[in-house]
Amino acid sequence: MSIYSAKRFEAEVASLFAARDGTAISAPVASLDVTLEGIAGDRHGGMTRTSGGREPWYPRGTEMRNERQLSIVCTDELAVAARAMEIDRIAPEWIGANMVLGGVTDLSKLPPRSLLFFEDGPTIKIDGQNAPCRFAGARIAEHYPDRDDKALALAFPKKAAGLRGLVGWVDRPGTITPGQKVTIQVPEQWIWQG
Amino acid sequence: MSIYSAKRFEAEVASLFAARDGTAISAPVASLDVTLEGIAGDRHGGMTRTSGGREPWYPRGTEMRNERQLSIVCTDELAVAARAMEIDRIAPEWIGANMVLGGVTDLSKLPPRSLLFFEDGPTIKIDGQNAPCRFAGARIAEHYPDRDDKALALAFPKKAAGLRGLVGWVDRPGTITPGQKVTIQVPEQWIWQG
């Protein structure tokens, strides 16, 4: 069993997005007001949500706890995924991201239970890695009309695995703004081999 | 970065407890009805809770998301802690546990984001390891009147670290009963060294 100590380090909010019109595509915003329900007015808000394709163990539409209030990505990781898909870029808003964080190595691998303390603001707790899906892939494909749209949509789940950032929920309410410092508290880690 | 694949295995509910009188001590129950708020009528219920000594980063009493709806322990681990404290045993109800699980090696090290699917019943999602505190230690000490109560209370946080089980929340409602099979789904694991 590998053990790795808890640690704290600083990162920064690079940019913010919200999907307030009920679509899966987000748009840049100047700030994000978050409550314990998530982003005010966002389609992913709520203390609970209904299950979908990510929870094949539940009948579709089962009410469950909402651990996916926010989506957080890293520009470097999306660039790696874009290169693997042989496209110029993947914009955070195409895949419905809410936040681009700067200053985090291997953001997508930050462990579950990590806490993100926003300076003078809210806290987000990390559920874990966000699995890339073909629906987000289809929204990327719309920006590359010269490519086979179905093939490009399906490439996203394969090529962006481990690079699509994190999902999490609001632990404490507040306001998030670009440029804000974020203290990231990573819990002690180990590999369970039981 | 160590990688360990996702896995599924079977465990079993050994016994159940609830603290319905508002105290920190639980008592055996024949079943647990759980909703998305946690155990019906339990002091640890609710979608949110107020922060305490476990969250030194918040002013005490801050409303935050409740990730501690249930406490799950393993008899083998509590026996190891009891031996280290030089006492006969630690009963699950003394430390306010809600469930004893059988058939899980190193229960306390089961990773955050693990899912516990109860047969024909609810799902519990694991927040992570429960840190032993001196207040639970004091309740253990009450059962060993021949020992120095303060020393024994303080021994619990030291000797039971990594052995005090898990906390988690209800992901899907239902009823839990002793003898029920539990399928435990452990996510892919890695050590983040960023």
Side-chain angles (χ1 to χ4, degrees):
Chain A
M1 181 188 307
S2 259
I3 293 281
Y4 204 73
S5 298
K7 75 178 273 192
R8 269 183 172 239
F9 68 98
E10 296 261 299
E12 192 178 273
V13 177
S15 48
L16 297 167
F17 309 86
R20 294 223 168 90
D21 56 359
T23 73
I25 299 161
S26 53
V29 291
S31 67
L32 277 185
D33 290 323
V34 296
T35 70
L36 291 166
E37 302 248 335
I39 300 169
D42 189 86
R43 70 195 289 268
H44 290 290
M47 296 300 281
T48 66
R49 65 178 178 96
T50 52
S51 66
R54 291 177 188 277
E55 298 81 28
W57 42 81
Y58 294 149
R60 188 172 284 267
T62 298
E63 188 183 19
M64 59 176 286
R65 181 125 153 177
N66 185 8
E67 82 292 22
R68 299 177 56 82
Q69 291 178 343
L70 290 101
S71 151
I72 304 169
V73 299
C74 160
T75 307
D76 291 350
E77 288 185 328
L78 294 185
V80 173
R83 277 197 297 277
M85 293 170 71
E86 298 176 354
I87 55 179
D88 283 347
R89 61 191 280 263
I90 298 170
E93 53 266 53
W94 299 347
I95 57 172
N98 300 118
M99 187 185 308
V100 175
L101 263 190
V104 189
T105 306
D106 289 334
L107 176 79
S108 296
K109 297 211 156 40
L110 205 67
R113 212 187 199 188
S114 293
L115 289 168
L116 277 53
F117 299 108
F118 294 81
E119 192 181 25
D120 305 319
T123 308
I124 291 176
K125 190 159 174 176
I126 297 305
D127 179 59
Q129 206 169 102
N130 193 6
C133 70
R134 65 192 164 91
F135 302 107
R139 297 192 301 271
I140 294 168
E142 288 171 11
H143 296 270
Y144 297 97
D146 55 326
R147 294 282 297 273
D148 177 327
D149 58 347
K150 279 189 185 150
L152 198 54
L154 289 170
F156 185 59
K158 287 175 196 161
K159 305 296 188 184
L163 300 165
R164 202 238 185 278
L166 302 164
V167 286
W169 63 82
V170 177
D171 193 56
R172 185 176 63 162
T175 300
I176 307 175
T177 51
Q180 210 172 23
K181 292 268 174 283
V182 189
T183 302
I184 301 186
Q185 181 170 300
V186 182
E188 187 186 0
Q189 301 169 78
W190 54 79
I191 300 287
W192 180 87
Q193 298 186 14
Chain B
M1 184 187 306
S2 259
I3 292 282
Y4 204 73
S5 298
K7 74 178 274 192
R8 270 184 171 237
F9 68 98
E10 296 260 298
E12 192 178 272
V13 177
S15 48
L16 297 167
F17 309 86
R20 294 222 167 90
D21 56 358
T23 74
I25 299 161
S26 53
V29 291
S31 68
L32 278 184
D33 290 324
V34 295
T35 70
L36 291 166
E37 302 248 336
I39 299 169
D42 189 87
R43 70 195 290 268
H44 290 289
M47 297 299 281
T48 66
R49 65 178 177 95
T50 52
S51 66
R54 292 177 187 278
E55 298 80 29
W57 42 81
Y58 294 149
R60 189 172 284 266
T62 298
E63 188 184 20
M64 58 175 286
R65 180 124 154 178
N66 185 9
E67 81 293 22
R68 299 177 55 83
Q69 291 177 343
L70 290 102
S71 151
I72 305 169
V73 299
C74 161
T75 307
D76 292 349
E77 289 185 328
L78 294 185
V80 174
R83 277 197 297 277
M85 292 169 72
E86 297 176 355
I87 54 178
D88 282 347
R89 61 191 280 264
I90 298 169
E93 53 267 54
W94 300 347
I95 57 172
N98 300 117
M99 187 185 308
V100 175
L101 264 188
V104 189
T105 306
D106 289 334
L107 176 79
S108 296
K109 296 210 156 41
L110 206 67
R113 211 187 200 189
S114 293
L115 289 168
L116 277 52
F117 298 109
F118 294 81
E119 192 181 25
D120 305 319
T123 308
I124 290 176
K125 190 159 174 175
I126 298 304
D127 178 60
Q129 206 169 104
N130 192 7
C133 69
R134 64 191 164 92
F135 301 107
R139 297 192 301 271
I140 294 168
E142 289 171 12
H143 295 269
Y144 297 96
D146 56 325
R147 293 282 297 274
D148 177 327
D149 58 348
K150 279 190 184 149
L152 198 53
L154 289 170
F156 185 60
K158 286 175 196 161
K159 305 296 187 184
L163 300 165
R164 201 237 185 280
L166 303 164
V167 286
W169 63 82
V170 177
D171 193 56
R172 184 176 64 160
T175 300
I176 306 174
T177 51
Q180 208 173 26
K181 292 269 175 283
V182 189
T183 302
I184 301 186
Q185 181 170 299
V186 183
E188 186 187 359
Q189 301 169 77
W190 55 79
I191 300 287
W192 180 86
Q193 299 185 13

